[in-house]
C-alpha cells in the first residue's frame, strides 16, 4: 500500500524533534493524509513518490501468476506476488519521498526472467544450453487527484497476458504515540486480470498498519522493518501489521483470508501471518475470519513470517511447502526513459533540481525549490477555479473513477504501448 505518511530514518536527533514538532499539530485530526503541510527537504528521501511506491519489486512473481492450468496454483502464485510486491520495505530503509503534484506521472519497464515454477511443483532444472527467456513488464502511474491525494496505476505484460490496475490513496491518523495507516476511500486494492484465462480477475485488499516508536525514533512506512538508530537515545522503531486482508477470484470461486499477527509474548514483534485458501460463493460472500471457514472448504493453509518465509500446507498433508523465501531477494531495478525522453511533468525530471540539491546536502536550496513548486501548483489551481475549469488526468479516464479500477485514456494506451516497444517519445500536454 502507498503512503505519504512515512519519514526518512536519520541519526540526527534535531531532525526527529522537527518531525515530532510537526506531528504534534495533528493529534486528533481524523485524516492527516488530507491535510496540507510541507516537510523541510532534509526530512525527505530524494526520490519521487510515484516512482517509489509501486507493487513490482519482484516482477517475475507477477508475470508467473497465470502460468498454471490449476486454479489453486494460480491463487498461490498471486500470494507469492503479494508477499514480494513490497520487498523494498523488508530490505530497505524507511523513507518519505516527495509528495506528487497533480498531473505528475511516472513510467518504466522491468525485464525479468520468466522461469518461476508453479508454487506446488519443484523448480525445473535448467541446462546451460537453455536460453534465458526475458519478458517485459510496463508500468504507468499518474497523480489524478491532489485533494484528496490519489494516484492511478496500470501494470501490463502483453507477452504473458496479464495486467493490474488500481487507485492508491491512504488515510492516516496520528494518536500521539503512533500513526494508523489504512486504505483511503478510493483505494479498493489491486485488481489483477489474466487475459489468457478468460479475463479471470483477482482483487487484493490492503491491511491496516500501525507506525509506532515515534517517541524513540522516526516513523517508518507500512510493511517496513524495525530500524535501529545510531543514536541509542532514539531506540528502535517498529511497524506492525495487525489486520485481516483478502484476495478473491469470483471466476474460480477461490478466496484467501490473511490474518497478520504482530505482537507476541511480552510485546515482541514477530511479523507472523496465517491464512486459508478456500472455495467460496461470490454471490454469498460471508466468510471474513479464518475460524468461520469450514475445513471441507479449505484448499490450503498459509503460515509464516511476511519478513522471512511463507509456507503452504495442503489439507491432505502436514508437510510445509515453501511458497517464497524473502531472504535472498532484493528489488529488481527499473528501466526508466532517459531524461531527454521525459516530459517536464515526468517524476524524475520534474523533481531533478530538488534531488540534486538534496544529494549535494544543500537543504536550504532544496527546501526553497520545493516551496516554489508547491506555490506554482497553488497558482495553477487558483487559475483553474477562476476559469471554472475542471482538471482532468491525461492518461486515465477519471480522477477517482471508475470505482477502484482506473481505465486508460487513448493517451494512456499509447504511452503503455510505447513502453512495450521501448518508444519513449510523448507529445507535451497543453496544461503542463
Amino acid at each position: 500500500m502507498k503512503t505519504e505518511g512515512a519519514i526518512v530514518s536519520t541519526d540526527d536527533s534535531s531532525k526527529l524533534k522537527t518531525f515530532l514538532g510537526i506531528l504534534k499539530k495533528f493529534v486528533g485530526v481524523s485524516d492527516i493524509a488530507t491535510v496540507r503541510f510541507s516537510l523541510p527537504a532534509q526530512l525527505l528521501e530524494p526520490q519521487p513518490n510515484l516512482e517509489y511506491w509501486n507493487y513490482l519489486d519482484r516482477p517475475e512473481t507477477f508475470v508467473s501468476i497465470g502460468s498454471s492450468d490449476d486454479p489453486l496454483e494460480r491463487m498461490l502464485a498471486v500470494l507469492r506476488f503479494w508477499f514480494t510486491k513490497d520487498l523494498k520495505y523488508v530490505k530497505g530503509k524507511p523513507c518519505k519521498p516527495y509528495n506528487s503534484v497533480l498531473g505528475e506521472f511516472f513510467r518504466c519497464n522491468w525485464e525479468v526472467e520468466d522461469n518461476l515454477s508453479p508454487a506446488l511443483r519443484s523448480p525445473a532444472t535448467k541446462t546451460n544450453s537453455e536460453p534465458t527467456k526475458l519478458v517485459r513488464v510496463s508500468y504507468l502511474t499518474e497523480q489524478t487527484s491532489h485533494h484528496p491525494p490519489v494516484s492511478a496505476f496500470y501494470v501490463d505484460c502483453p507477452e504473458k497476458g496479464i495486467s493490474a490496475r488500481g487507485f492508491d490513496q491512504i488515510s492516516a491518523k496520528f494518536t500521539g504515540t503512533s500513526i494508523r495507516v489504512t486504505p483511503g476511500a478510493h483505494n479498493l486494492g489491486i485488481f489483477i486480470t489474466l487475459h489468457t484465462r478468460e479475463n479471470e480477475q483477482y482483487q487484493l485488499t490492503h491491511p491496516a498498519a500501525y507506525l509506532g516508536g515515534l517517541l524513540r525514533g522516526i516513523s517508518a512506512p507500512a510493511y517496513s522493518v524495525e530500524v535501529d538508530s545510531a543514536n541509542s537515545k532514539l531506540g528502535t522503531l517498529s511497524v506492525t501489521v495487525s489486520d485481516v486482508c483478502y484476495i478473491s477470484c469470483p471466476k474460480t470461486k477461490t478466496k484467501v483470508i490473511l490474518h497478520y499477527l504482530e505482537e507476541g509474548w511480552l510485546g515482541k514483534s514477530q511479523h507472523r501471518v496465517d491464512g486459508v485458501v478456500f472455495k467460496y460463493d461470490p454471490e454469498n460472500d460471508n466468510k471474513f475470519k479464518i475460524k468461520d471457514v469450514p475445513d471441507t472448504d479449505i484448499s490450503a493453509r498459509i503460515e509464516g513470517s511476511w519478513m522471512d518465509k511463507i509456507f503452504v500446507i495442503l489439507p491432505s498433508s502436514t508437510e510445509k511447502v515453501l511458497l517464497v523465501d524473502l531472504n535472498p531477494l532484493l528489488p529488481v531495478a527499473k528501466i526508466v526513459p532517459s531524461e531527454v525522453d521525459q516530459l517536464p511533468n515526468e517524476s524524475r525530471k520534474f523533481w531533478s533540481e530538488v534531488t540534486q540539491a538534496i544529494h549535494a546536502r544543500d537543504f536550504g536550496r532544496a527546501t526553497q525549490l520545493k516551496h516554489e513548486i508547491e506555490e506554482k501548483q497553488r497558482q495553477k489551481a487558483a487559475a483553474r477555479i477562476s476559469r471554472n475549469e475542471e482538471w482532468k488526468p491525461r492518461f486515465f479516464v477519471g480522477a477517482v473513477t471508475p470505482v477502484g479500477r482506473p481505465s486508460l485514456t487513448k493517451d494512456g494506451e499509447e504511452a503503455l504501448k510505447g513502453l512495450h516497444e521501448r518508444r519513449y517519445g510523448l507529445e507535451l500536454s497543453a496544461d503542463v
Side-chain angles (χ1 to χ4, degrees):
M1 179 172 60
K2 292 182 183 177
T3 173
E4 296 189 344
I7 293 296
V8 64
S9 62
T10 179
D11 300 335
D12 190 344
S13 61
S14 66
K15 293 181 181 179
L16 172 62
K17 292 176 182 178
T18 299
F19 175 55
L20 290 178
I22 294 171
L23 276 184
K24 285 178 182 178
K25 301 176 183 179
F26 300 104
V27 174
V29 175
S30 61
D31 188 0
I32 63 175
T34 63
V35 178
R36 302 182 187 185
F37 70 100
S38 179
L39 291 176
Q42 61 265 36
L43 295 182
L44 297 175
E45 177 74 5
Q47 189 174 32
N49 185 64
L50 293 180
E51 174 179 357
Y52 185 78
W53 302 106
N54 65 76
Y55 303 114
L56 274 296
D57 282 348
R58 297 300 301 193
E60 76 277 15
T61 63
F62 176 72
V63 302
S64 72
I65 289 174
S67 297
S68 176
D69 292 331
D70 180 9
L72 173 59
E73 287 190 331
R74 291 200 294 277
M75 181 59 86
L76 292 176
V78 173
L79 280 166
R80 183 166 55 188
F81 159 75
W82 173 261
F83 288 112
T84 61
K85 67 182 177 62
D86 292 318
L87 194 62
K88 66 175 79 63
Y89 308 144
V90 177
K91 302 291 183 175
K93 66 176 182 177
C95 73
K96 172 65 180 76
Y98 310 133
N99 286 340
S100 306
V101 304
L102 194 64
E104 179 185 339
F105 75 101
F106 177 77
R107 55 184 170 145
C108 70
N109 285 326
W110 289 268
E111 292 185 355
V112 293
E113 294 184 1
D114 180 22
N115 60 2
L116 286 185
S117 300
L120 297 179
R121 301 182 198 172
S122 299
T125 302
K126 294 185 67 175
T127 65
N128 292 332
S129 61
E130 292 182 36
T132 300
K133 182 182 180 182
L134 294 178
V135 295
R136 184 173 299 130
V137 182
S138 299
Y139 176 70
L140 176 66
T141 181
E142 180 181 17
Q143 191 73 16
T144 55
S145 172
H146 191 54
H147 297 293
V150 180
S151 61
F153 68 88
Y154 202 101
V155 184
D156 199 19
C157 181
E159 187 176 356
K160 295 289 291 183
I162 182 172
S163 65
R165 55 181 171 160
F167 287 107
D168 274 317
Q169 177 199 10
I170 61 103
S171 177
K173 184 171 183 179
F174 179 53
T175 65
T177 58
S178 65
I179 299 175
R180 184 174 188 263
V181 181
T182 58
H186 303 291
N187 185 344
L188 303 186
I190 305 169
F191 293 86
I192 297 174
T193 301
L194 302 180
H195 303 283
T196 58
R197 301 284 176 185
E198 299 180 342
N199 291 324
E200 188 173 290
Q201 188 171 97
Y202 298 79
Q203 181 180 6
L204 297 71
T205 67
H206 300 291
Y210 294 84
L211 287 61
L214 295 176
L215 300 182
R216 302 187 303 274
I218 298 176
S219 76
Y223 303 117
S224 187
V225 297
E226 293 185 351
V227 180
D228 292 317
S229 173
N231 186 335
S232 60
K233 294 181 180 179
L234 299 184
T236 302
L237 308 175
S238 64
V239 176
T240 60
V241 183
S242 183
D243 197 11
V244 178
C245 62
Y246 309 95
I247 303 174
S248 56
C249 179
K251 191 173 186 63
T252 64
K253 299 182 179 181
T254 308
K255 182 176 177 178
V256 175
I257 300 175
L258 292 176
H259 190 184
Y260 287 82
L261 303 159
E262 273 299 332
E263 294 300 325
W265 189 56
L266 297 180
K268 181 179 175 65
S269 294
Q270 55 186 351
H271 314 301
R272 179 182 162 197
V273 61
D274 292 333
V276 289
V277 183
F278 64 100
K279 287 295 183 180
Y280 83 115
D281 180 3
E283 302 300 322
N284 186 30
D285 184 6
N286 57 6
K287 303 292 190 303
F288 302 103
K289 296 181 180 179
I290 292 176
K291 67 179 183 179
D292 295 336
V293 181
D295 288 344
T296 53
D297 291 343
I298 294 176
S299 304
R301 292 186 180 273
I302 308 297
E303 67 175 52
S305 167
W306 56 269
M307 287 187 64
D308 187 9
K309 296 176 182 177
I310 302 293
F311 297 92
V312 177
I313 305 171
L314 297 178
S316 58
S317 173
T318 58
E319 179 187 4
K320 294 182 180 180
V321 180
L322 182 65
L323 178 66
V324 63
D325 180 0
L326 300 178
N327 291 290
L329 302 179
L330 293 171
V332 175
K334 310 174 189 74
I335 302 172
V336 182
S338 67
E339 191 167 317
V340 174
D341 291 319
Q342 293 180 36
L343 295 184
N345 59 327
E346 201 153 350
S347 290
R348 284 195 181 181
K349 192 167 189 174
F350 183 84
W351 292 102
S352 60
E353 291 188 20
V354 179
T355 299
Q356 291 167 13
I358 292 178
H359 281 307
R361 302 189 65 79
D362 188 349
F363 298 121
R365 174 166 170 73
T367 299
Q368 178 186 352
L369 290 168
K370 181 172 172 288
H371 286 167
E372 289 174 1
I373 288 173
E374 293 164 349
E375 179 57 30
K376 186 175 181 180
Q377 295 305 308
R378 284 190 283 268
Q379 292 173 1
K380 283 186 174 182
R384 285 193 296 270
I385 292 174
S386 67
R387 297 192 300 265
N388 196 26
E389 178 181 295
E390 180 184 2
W391 183 87
K392 293 183 179 180
R394 176 178 180 181
F395 301 109
F396 294 89
V397 170
V400 294
T401 56
V403 177
R405 301 169 174 86
S407 296
L408 293 169
T409 61
K410 184 176 179 181
D411 277 0
E413 292 173 353
E414 287 297 319
L416 264 183
K417 184 179 179 182
L419 281 170
H420 301 330
E421 299 172 357
R422 291 189 290 189
R423 293 184 294 101
Y424 301 127
L426 289 174
E427 294 293 328
L428 186 64
S429 178
D431 60 350
V432 174

